[in-house]
Amino acid sequence: MSGPRIGMTLRVVGVLIVLGIAVFPLYWMFVTALSSDADLFASRPRLIPDLTRLGVFVDALAAGDVANWLRNSLVVALGTTAVSVGLGIPLGYALSRFSFRGKLLTTIVLLMTQMLPEALLVVPLFSLFDRFELLDSLAGLVLANGAFVLPIVALILKGAVDGVPRELEEAGRVDGARPLTLLVRINVPLIAPSIAAASVIAFFHAWNEYVFAVTFIYAPEMQPASVGIASFIGEVGTPVQTVMAVAFMFTLPAVAFYLFAQKYVVAGMTAGAVKG
């Protein structure tokens, strides 16, 4: 076997190993969800899923408010992504292109907010949300998650705008374009990969968030799936198969969103690689 073939084989093997490590937790949840009680406590773990037990997913959806939990998680994640990216684009553009008093301090404060854990913000946010009647509502959860993830989204997009040549905007100004037009027509298309990356970060944060959700949401039908799954854990026993089935269904939308956004990230990164 020649040298290039050996190198290609090693690369393929390496990719398959990394892919296996990444996919195995999802596969293990699927196998566990389809395992019987005897398989769960057997001396040798079951590695092949028992497809005759696929009804456990139907039973899991029928148990409690699983469908509502998944819907609530999707609403909160999409709402947080829209709020944080929608506000992060103009904020990142302003920090990159405009000079104003306190600009450096604003950037430092945005960076320092990422050093604060969510648990430290729960008490003041709870008091604030109680005053404005935002407790036990998905809108309040979207605002809390959006405010928490907005600084990192804005800083990511600021760095992306920094990489856009100013000459493009100067050409636009010659044609009479206003700052908003420059942002929408020139910068947004060019920083699309960074917008996609920021969207993935915001979506995953809101999708997996637990502290705000368990504190601000009381009604079971309003809880996101991250909180609802924990409710299956009981003092006497825990339905492992049901928990794994719900966790598997909870993971799939996040994976699907990542794969959807990844396509745009790759497309944006390679768009200007070849000149025609």
Side-chain angles (χ1 to χ4, degrees):
M1 185 178 292
S2 61
R5 290 185 177 181
I6 294 176
M8 177 62 69
T9 301
L10 291 176
R11 284 194 291 269
V12 171
V13 171
V15 169
L16 291 177
I17 292 175
V18 173
L19 181 63
I21 294 174
V23 174
F24 182 76
L26 189 63
Y27 175 77
W28 188 248
M29 282 192 294
F30 182 71
V31 172
T32 305
L34 300 181
S35 299
S36 62
D37 291 337
D39 292 330
L40 289 177
F41 298 101
S43 58
R44 293 183 179 181
R46 185 184 185 92
L47 299 178
I48 305 299
D50 184 3
L51 299 181
T52 61
R53 297 176 55 86
L54 284 174
V56 68
F57 289 95
V58 178
D59 296 337
L61 285 174
D65 298 311
V66 174
N68 285 333
W69 295 342
L70 294 174
R71 178 186 62 83
N72 295 336
S73 290
L74 186 61
V75 170
V76 172
L78 292 178
T80 300
T81 303
V83 169
S84 59
V85 174
L87 296 177
I89 290 175
L91 178 56
Y93 180 74
L95 291 174
S96 175
R97 290 295 193 252
F98 297 123
S99 297
F100 53 90
R101 182 178 300 177
K103 176 180 176 179
L104 179 59
L105 179 61
T106 301
T107 305
I108 295 175
V109 170
L110 288 175
L111 183 61
M112 290 181 62
T113 59
Q114 300 307 298
M115 303 178 186
L116 300 175
E118 290 183 351
L120 190 64
L121 303 175
V122 165
V123 174
L125 280 178
F126 186 91
S127 177
L128 185 65
F129 280 21
D130 184 40
R131 176 176 300 180
F132 289 98
E133 299 182 352
L134 290 173
L135 294 177
D136 206 22
S137 70
L138 297 182
L141 205 54
V142 168
L143 290 176
N145 289 322
F148 192 82
V149 78
L150 174 60
I152 189 63
V153 170
L155 291 175
I156 291 174
L157 297 181
K158 174 189 177 300
V161 176
D162 287 341
V164 177
R166 292 179 178 268
E167 290 77 8
L168 296 177
E169 294 185 12
E170 293 174 358
R173 290 192 184 94
V174 171
D175 294 333
R178 295 179 178 274
L180 182 60
T181 304
L182 296 176
L183 171 61
V184 175
R185 296 290 183 86
I186 296 178
N187 286 276
V188 169
L190 293 176
I191 65 172
S194 297
I195 293 176
S199 299
V200 170
I201 293 174
F203 184 91
F204 270 76
H205 169 81
W207 185 263
N208 296 319
E209 200 281 324
Y210 179 81
V211 176
F212 289 157
V214 77
T215 305
F216 300 149
I217 303 296
Y218 307 132
E221 66 274 9
M222 297 294 293
Q223 291 176 342
S226 59
V227 178
I229 292 175
S231 66
F232 283 110
I233 301 176
E235 295 181 2
V236 178
T238 300
V240 178
Q241 294 92 335
T242 302
V243 172
M244 287 298 174
V246 177
F248 182 81
M249 291 185 288
F250 175 63
T251 305
L252 287 182
V255 174
F257 179 81
Y258 173 76
L259 295 176
F260 171 79
Q262 184 189 42
K263 178 177 65 174
Y264 292 95
V265 172
V266 175
M269 292 175 63
T270 59
V274 179
K275 294 183 179 180

